[in-house]
Amino acid sequence: MLQILASRGDLVLLRDSVEWEGRSLLKALIREVALKGEQVQVLGCEVSEEVFREGLDSDTNSRLVYHDIFRDPQGWTGNWGPLGILRACLRGAEPGPCTLAVDSLSWLLLHAPCSALCQTLRALGHDNSHPGRVRVLGLLHEDVHGPGPLGALRSLAQIEVTVGGNLGFTTAQVFHPKPRHRSIEQTYWFSILPNFSLEFHKEPLLEPRPHRGPQSPTVDAMADLTFNVHLSKKEREARDTLALPFHFSSEKQQSLLHPALASSTSQIFYEPDADDYLDQEDPDDDLDI
């Protein structure tokens, strides 16, 4: 993933969310840039300078030029404007490659139109007043903005890094949009150490392997049943001698084919009770008038 620091892209968009914060990864990338000897300008909007520098080693902190607008946001907005702040960060910078880390672009979107911010970011990469190529590392809280501002910034970015996680690991999906070529997308699994150095991991298995422990004894599922599911020899013979209700024996066939013979052998007698009421006009008692 550190290959994004070797590219001279104008805008590296670092996208995070409520579930996975991206400021730690931003500080880790800043540390790598500083260790390479490049100058780093930091525009801090959302946290104080002390909080941002916390955890970084002294060598890295000595290479950072921090522009703190967290303590006095109205003063910066009134004197420079949100877009003038970005240009002011590069004034006085030393010649050579320069990285401008913005924490965050979401704060600037709350104080300036999206179109004006995009124009300023595009102009920073072609600013002739600074003798050197400028890379912008912009942190963006993607779940705060709608699809319009998010799509506009994505169209400017040479590299997109989306912070996420899976299976207990932090992931970074790096996307290289190439209009005339096939885009490249890679996923990195890593951990951020207390000194904000990156430790990369191999991609974990999607499904954990089954634990090969000692086999448990086989449990008899019919041990606690209150009835017997097996038949003895005598019970099986008695079952075979029973006539099934749907089986037509010869006696049943004769009774169905010759009802007169069956009626001669059997009769039905009806004796009404004392409470029975026989209506000759409605013997079935199915009329309701």
Side-chain angles (χ1 to χ4, degrees):
M1 185 176 62
L2 297 180
Q3 62 182 348
I4 67 176
L5 301 178
S7 64
R8 299 254 53 91
D10 296 333
L11 175 60
V12 178
L13 194 61
L14 184 59
R15 300 161 52 185
D16 70 349
S17 60
V18 176
E19 291 79 9
W20 298 94
E21 61 89 18
R23 183 169 291 111
S24 298
L25 180 58
L26 177 65
K27 294 172 66 172
L29 296 178
I30 290 175
R31 176 181 179 274
E32 295 296 330
V33 173
L35 292 179
K36 291 170 58 178
E38 297 184 12
Q39 55 180 323
V40 181
Q41 306 281 332
V42 180
L43 178 61
C45 311
E46 296 184 349
V47 297
S48 63
E49 181 177 358
E50 292 78 11
V51 172
F52 190 89
R53 290 181 178 273
E54 184 178 359
L56 296 173
D57 56 88
S58 58
D59 189 18
T60 302
N61 279 321
S62 63
R63 297 175 182 269
L64 301 185
V65 179
Y66 198 90
H67 306 270
D68 189 4
I69 63 174
F70 175 77
R71 301 183 185 276
D72 188 17
Q74 295 299 327
W76 277 87
T77 303
N79 297 331
W80 298 96
L83 307 182
I85 299 174
L86 290 173
R87 301 187 184 97
C89 291
L90 300 179
R91 295 178 182 176
E94 299 177 359
C98 179
T99 296
L100 173 59
V102 183
D103 182 17
S104 68
L105 292 174
S106 296
W107 187 92
L108 295 178
L109 281 174
L110 296 177
H111 297 80
C114 179
S115 58
L117 176 60
C118 292
Q119 293 175 2
T120 303
L121 291 175
R122 185 176 182 85
L124 287 178
H126 306 279
D127 190 1
N128 297 326
S129 62
H130 176 70
R133 189 77 178 202
V134 178
R135 180 202 297 118
V136 178
L137 289 176
L139 180 63
L140 181 69
H141 311 312
E142 62 178 2
D143 49 1
V144 177
H145 310 286
L150 182 59
L153 290 173
R154 292 187 62 185
S155 65
L156 292 178
Q158 278 68 40
I159 298 176
E160 295 180 45
V161 182
T162 304
V163 183
N166 195 2
L167 300 177
F169 293 90
T170 304
T171 62
Q173 293 182 348
V174 181
F175 180 66
H176 301 256
K178 297 183 178 181
R180 298 183 180 180
H181 304 278
R182 185 178 179 180
S183 302
I184 301 176
E185 185 173 0
Q186 296 173 307
T187 301
Y188 297 90
W189 307 76
F190 64 94
S191 299
I192 300 178
L193 301 181
N195 63 344
F196 291 98
S197 60
L198 295 175
E199 180 180 2
F200 293 93
H201 307 284
K202 295 182 179 179
E203 182 177 356
L205 298 176
L206 296 180
E207 296 183 359
R209 297 181 179 179
H211 178 66
R212 298 183 178 274
Q215 297 182 356
S216 58
T218 305
V219 179
D220 189 2
M222 298 179 291
D224 299 330
L225 295 180
T226 58
F227 54 90
N228 188 14
V229 296
H230 302 288
L231 296 178
S232 62
K233 182 178 180 180
K234 293 182 178 181
E235 291 173 342
R236 188 176 296 106
E237 293 176 353
R239 183 196 62 182
D240 295 338
T241 56
L242 294 177
L244 299 177
F246 54 83
H247 179 69
F248 287 89
S249 61
S250 58
E251 292 80 2
K252 286 187 177 181
Q253 293 178 2
Q254 292 296 330
S255 62
L256 293 175
L257 295 176
H258 305 283
L261 297 176
S263 60
S264 62
T265 58
S266 60
Q267 296 180 359
I268 298 176
F269 298 93
Y270 172 70
E271 296 181 359
D273 294 336
D275 297 332
D276 289 347
Y277 173 72
L278 299 179
D279 190 353
Q280 298 300 331
E281 296 181 358
D282 185 17
D284 296 333
D285 196 15
D286 57 356
L287 299 179
D288 186 9
I289 303 176

PDB file of all heavy atoms in Angstrom, residues 27-28 30-35 40 53 56-65 195:
ATOM      1  N   LYS A  27      -2.143   9.447   9.667  1.00  0.00           N
ATOM      2  CA  LYS A  27      -0.913   9.717  10.404  1.00  0.00           C
ATOM      3  C   LYS A  27       0.180   8.710  10.046  1.00  0.00           C
ATOM      4  O   LYS A  27       1.365   9.063  10.003  1.00  0.00           O
ATOM      5  CB  LYS A  27      -1.210   9.691  11.908  1.00  0.00           C
ATOM      6  CG  LYS A  27      -2.137  10.815  12.350  1.00  0.00           C
ATOM      7  CD  LYS A  27      -2.573  10.658  13.796  1.00  0.00           C
ATOM      8  CE  LYS A  27      -1.428  10.812  14.752  1.00  0.00           C
ATOM      9  NZ  LYS A  27      -1.898  10.840  16.172  1.00  0.00           N
ATOM     10  N   ALA A  28      -0.213   7.462   9.778  1.00  0.00           N
ATOM     11  CA  ALA A  28       0.779   6.463   9.376  1.00  0.00           C
ATOM     12  C   ALA A  28       1.387   6.807   8.024  1.00  0.00           C
ATOM     13  O   ALA A  28       2.607   6.670   7.818  1.00  0.00           O
ATOM     14  CB  ALA A  28       0.136   5.075   9.346  1.00  0.00           C
ATOM     15  N   ILE A  30       1.564   9.863   6.759  1.00  0.00           N
ATOM     16  CA  ILE A  30       2.382  11.060   6.982  1.00  0.00           C
ATOM     17  C   ILE A  30       3.750  10.668   7.549  1.00  0.00           C
ATOM     18  O   ILE A  30       4.783  11.222   7.156  1.00  0.00           O
ATOM     19  CB  ILE A  30       1.650  12.029   7.919  1.00  0.00           C
ATOM     20  CG1 ILE A  30       0.449  12.649   7.196  1.00  0.00           C
ATOM     21  CG2 ILE A  30       2.579  13.121   8.425  1.00  0.00           C
ATOM     22  CD1 ILE A  30      -0.408  13.521   8.090  1.00  0.00           C
ATOM     23  N   ARG A  31       3.753   9.718   8.442  1.00  0.00           N
ATOM     24  CA  ARG A  31       5.017   9.256   9.023  1.00  0.00           C
ATOM     25  C   ARG A  31       5.927   8.680   7.943  1.00  0.00           C
ATOM     26  O   ARG A  31       7.147   8.953   7.934  1.00  0.00           O
ATOM     27  CB  ARG A  31       4.738   8.212  10.093  1.00  0.00           C
ATOM     28  CG  ARG A  31       5.979   7.585  10.713  1.00  0.00           C
ATOM     29  CD  ARG A  31       5.609   6.539  11.749  1.00  0.00           C
ATOM     30  NE  ARG A  31       6.792   5.928  12.330  1.00  0.00           N
ATOM     31  CZ  ARG A  31       7.423   4.877  11.793  1.00  0.00           C
ATOM     32  NH1 ARG A  31       6.957   4.319  10.675  1.00  0.00           N
ATOM     33  NH2 ARG A  31       8.506   4.377  12.377  1.00  0.00           N
ATOM     34  N   GLU A  32       5.375   7.904   7.030  1.00  0.00           N
ATOM     35  CA  GLU A  32       6.187   7.322   5.970  1.00  0.00           C
ATOM     36  C   GLU A  32       6.747   8.413   5.052  1.00  0.00           C
ATOM     37  O   GLU A  32       7.904   8.328   4.611  1.00  0.00           O
ATOM     38  CB  GLU A  32       5.356   6.322   5.162  1.00  0.00           C
ATOM     39  CG  GLU A  32       4.905   5.101   5.943  1.00  0.00           C
ATOM     40  CD  GLU A  32       6.070   4.250   6.407  1.00  0.00           C
ATOM     41  OE1 GLU A  32       7.102   4.250   5.712  1.00  0.00           O
ATOM     42  OE2 GLU A  32       5.950   3.588   7.454  1.00  0.00           O
ATOM     43  N   VAL A  33       5.942   9.432   4.757  1.00  0.00           N
ATOM     44  CA  VAL A  33       6.410  10.523   3.904  1.00  0.00           C
ATOM     45  C   VAL A  33       7.540  11.287   4.595  1.00  0.00           C
ATOM     46  O   VAL A  33       8.556  11.637   3.980  1.00  0.00           O
ATOM     47  CB  VAL A  33       5.244  11.463   3.558  1.00  0.00           C
ATOM     48  CG1 VAL A  33       5.748  12.702   2.821  1.00  0.00           C
ATOM     49  CG2 VAL A  33       4.214  10.734   2.707  1.00  0.00           C
ATOM     50  N   ALA A  34       7.369  11.549   5.883  1.00  0.00           N
ATOM     51  CA  ALA A  34       8.388  12.284   6.624  1.00  0.00           C
ATOM     52  C   ALA A  34       9.692  11.506   6.711  1.00  0.00           C
ATOM     53  O   ALA A  34      10.788  12.077   6.618  1.00  0.00           O
ATOM     54  CB  ALA A  34       7.875  12.624   8.019  1.00  0.00           C
ATOM     55  N   LEU A  35       9.601  10.181   6.884  1.00  0.00           N
ATOM     56  CA  LEU A  35      10.810   9.369   6.964  1.00  0.00           C
ATOM     57  C   LEU A  35      11.553   9.322   5.629  1.00  0.00           C
ATOM     58  O   LEU A  35      12.763   9.063   5.600  1.00  0.00           O
ATOM     59  CB  LEU A  35      10.459   7.950   7.418  1.00  0.00           C
ATOM     60  CG  LEU A  35       9.963   7.807   8.864  1.00  0.00           C
ATOM     61  CD1 LEU A  35       9.625   6.352   9.182  1.00  0.00           C
ATOM     62  CD2 LEU A  35      11.013   8.330   9.852  1.00  0.00           C
ATOM     63  N   VAL A  40       6.201  17.959   4.907  1.00  0.00           N
ATOM     64  CA  VAL A  40       4.782  17.673   5.091  1.00  0.00           C
ATOM     65  C   VAL A  40       4.126  18.887   5.717  1.00  0.00           C
ATOM     66  O   VAL A  40       4.568  19.380   6.768  1.00  0.00           O
ATOM     67  CB  VAL A  40       4.571  16.429   5.980  1.00  0.00           C
ATOM     68  CG1 VAL A  40       3.080  16.136   6.128  1.00  0.00           C
ATOM     69  CG2 VAL A  40       5.283  15.220   5.404  1.00  0.00           C
ATOM     70  N   ARG A  53      -0.449  15.272  16.948  1.00  0.00           N
ATOM     71  CA  ARG A  53       0.959  14.882  17.060  1.00  0.00           C
ATOM     72  C   ARG A  53       1.167  13.745  18.057  1.00  0.00           C
ATOM     73  O   ARG A  53       2.252  13.138  18.072  1.00  0.00           O
ATOM     74  CB  ARG A  53       1.793  16.084  17.491  1.00  0.00           C
ATOM     75  CG  ARG A  53       1.925  17.177  16.419  1.00  0.00           C
ATOM     76  CD  ARG A  53       2.781  18.325  16.933  1.00  0.00           C
ATOM     77  NE  ARG A  53       2.985  19.374  15.936  1.00  0.00           N
ATOM     78  CZ  ARG A  53       3.958  19.379  15.024  1.00  0.00           C
ATOM     79  NH1 ARG A  53       4.840  18.380  14.999  1.00  0.00           N
ATOM     80  NH2 ARG A  53       4.071  20.367  14.161  1.00  0.00           N
ATOM     81  N   LEU A  56       3.230  10.181  17.455  1.00  0.00           N
ATOM     82  CA  LEU A  56       4.272  10.265  16.435  1.00  0.00           C
ATOM     83  C   LEU A  56       5.629  10.501  17.088  1.00  0.00           C
ATOM     84  O   LEU A  56       5.730  11.208  18.093  1.00  0.00           O
ATOM     85  CB  LEU A  56       3.961  11.393  15.449  1.00  0.00           C
ATOM     86  CG  LEU A  56       2.694  11.226  14.598  1.00  0.00           C
ATOM     87  CD1 LEU A  56       2.426  12.496  13.802  1.00  0.00           C
ATOM     88  CD2 LEU A  56       2.809  10.024  13.675  1.00  0.00           C
ATOM     89  N   ASP A  57       6.669   9.919  16.524  1.00  0.00           N
ATOM     90  CA  ASP A  57       7.999  10.072  17.104  1.00  0.00           C
ATOM     91  C   ASP A  57       8.511  11.491  16.873  1.00  0.00           C
ATOM     92  O   ASP A  57       7.977  12.259  16.053  1.00  0.00           O
ATOM     93  CB  ASP A  57       8.960   9.049  16.499  1.00  0.00           C
ATOM     94  CG  ASP A  57       9.014   9.138  14.981  1.00  0.00           C
ATOM     95  OD1 ASP A  57       9.815   9.922  14.461  1.00  0.00           O
ATOM     96  OD2 ASP A  57       8.206   8.427  14.331  1.00  0.00           O
ATOM     97  N   SER A  58       9.531  11.848  17.611  1.00  0.00           N
ATOM     98  CA  SER A  58      10.063  13.208  17.564  1.00  0.00           C
ATOM     99  C   SER A  58      10.626  13.556  16.185  1.00  0.00           C
ATOM    100  O   SER A  58      10.520  14.701  15.726  1.00  0.00           O
ATOM    101  CB  SER A  58      11.157  13.379  18.631  1.00  0.00           C
ATOM    102  OG  SER A  58      12.199  12.421  18.431  1.00  0.00           O
ATOM    103  N   ASP A  59      11.218  12.587  15.498  1.00  0.00           N
ATOM    104  CA  ASP A  59      11.770  12.857  14.176  1.00  0.00           C
ATOM    105  C   ASP A  59      10.659  13.217  13.195  1.00  0.00           C
ATOM    106  O   ASP A  59      10.802  14.135  12.376  1.00  0.00           O
ATOM    107  CB  ASP A  59      12.543  11.632  13.685  1.00  0.00           C
ATOM    108  CG  ASP A  59      13.326  11.921  12.408  1.00  0.00           C
ATOM    109  OD1 ASP A  59      13.550  13.109  12.112  1.00  0.00           O
ATOM    110  OD2 ASP A  59      13.682  10.962  11.704  1.00  0.00           O
ATOM    111  N   THR A  60       9.546  12.510  13.283  1.00  0.00           N
ATOM    112  CA  THR A  60       8.419  12.819  12.397  1.00  0.00           C
ATOM    113  C   THR A  60       7.814  14.164  12.740  1.00  0.00           C
ATOM    114  O   THR A  60       7.506  14.983  11.859  1.00  0.00           O
ATOM    115  CB  THR A  60       7.350  11.714  12.488  1.00  0.00           C
ATOM    116  OG1 THR A  60       7.936  10.452  12.141  1.00  0.00           O
ATOM    117  CG2 THR A  60       6.188  12.000  11.570  1.00  0.00           C
ATOM    118  N   ASN A  61       7.598  14.421  14.031  1.00  0.00           N
ATOM    119  CA  ASN A  61       7.003  15.692  14.435  1.00  0.00           C
ATOM    120  C   ASN A  61       7.873  16.889  14.044  1.00  0.00           C
ATOM    121  O   ASN A  61       7.356  17.974  13.740  1.00  0.00           O
ATOM    122  CB  ASN A  61       6.772  15.701  15.950  1.00  0.00           C
ATOM    123  CG  ASN A  61       5.493  14.974  16.331  1.00  0.00           C
ATOM    124  OD1 ASN A  61       4.484  15.079  15.634  1.00  0.00           O
ATOM    125  ND2 ASN A  61       5.531  14.243  17.433  1.00  0.00           N
ATOM    126  N   SER A  62       9.177  16.690  14.042  1.00  0.00           N
ATOM    127  CA  SER A  62      10.053  17.808  13.676  1.00  0.00           C
ATOM    128  C   SER A  62       9.957  18.158  12.196  1.00  0.00           C
ATOM    129  O   SER A  62      10.303  19.278  11.802  1.00  0.00           O
ATOM    130  CB  SER A  62      11.505  17.469  14.034  1.00  0.00           C
ATOM    131  OG  SER A  62      11.963  16.347  13.291  1.00  0.00           O
ATOM    132  N   ARG A  63       9.500  17.243  11.383  1.00  0.00           N
ATOM    133  CA  ARG A  63       9.382  17.479   9.951  1.00  0.00           C
ATOM    134  C   ARG A  63       8.001  17.997   9.557  1.00  0.00           C
ATOM    135  O   ARG A  63       7.798  18.317   8.387  1.00  0.00           O
ATOM    136  CB  ARG A  63       9.683  16.195   9.177  1.00  0.00           C
ATOM    137  CG  ARG A  63      11.107  15.683   9.361  1.00  0.00           C
ATOM    138  CD  ARG A  63      11.302  14.342   8.667  1.00  0.00           C
ATOM    139  NE  ARG A  63      12.649  13.825   8.874  1.00  0.00           N
ATOM    140  CZ  ARG A  63      13.676  14.072   8.043  1.00  0.00           C
ATOM    141  NH1 ARG A  63      13.498  14.832   6.982  1.00  0.00           N
ATOM    142  NH2 ARG A  63      14.870  13.564   8.289  1.00  0.00           N
ATOM    143  N   LEU A  64       7.066  18.056  10.500  1.00  0.00           N
ATOM    144  CA  LEU A  64       5.711  18.501  10.194  1.00  0.00           C
ATOM    145  C   LEU A  64       5.587  20.008  10.389  1.00  0.00           C
ATOM    146  O   LEU A  64       6.046  20.550  11.405  1.00  0.00           O
ATOM    147  CB  LEU A  64       4.693  17.786  11.076  1.00  0.00           C
ATOM    148  CG  LEU A  64       4.611  16.256  11.013  1.00  0.00           C
ATOM    149  CD1 LEU A  64       3.466  15.754  11.865  1.00  0.00           C
ATOM    150  CD2 LEU A  64       4.472  15.779   9.583  1.00  0.00           C
ATOM    151  N   VAL A  65       4.970  20.657   9.432  1.00  0.00           N
ATOM    152  CA  VAL A  65       4.571  22.062   9.571  1.00  0.00           C
ATOM    153  C   VAL A  65       3.060  22.057   9.747  1.00  0.00           C
ATOM    154  O   VAL A  65       2.322  21.771   8.800  1.00  0.00           O
ATOM    155  CB  VAL A  65       4.998  22.898   8.352  1.00  0.00           C
ATOM    156  CG1 VAL A  65       4.549  24.342   8.531  1.00  0.00           C
ATOM    157  CG2 VAL A  65       6.505  22.813   8.141  1.00  0.00           C
ATOM    158  N   ASN A 195       3.313   3.370  17.379  1.00  0.00           N
ATOM    159  CA  ASN A 195       4.112   4.474  16.828  1.00  0.00           C
ATOM    160  C   ASN A 195       3.664   4.863  15.421  1.00  0.00           C
ATOM    161  O   ASN A 195       4.357   5.577  14.719  1.00  0.00           O
ATOM    162  CB  ASN A 195       5.590   4.098  16.807  1.00  0.00           C
ATOM    163  CG  ASN A 195       5.870   2.909  15.907  1.00  0.00           C
ATOM    164  OD1 ASN A 195       4.962   2.170  15.507  1.00  0.00           O
ATOM    165  ND2 ASN A 195       7.133   2.702  15.583  1.00  0.00           N
TER     166      ASN A 195
END
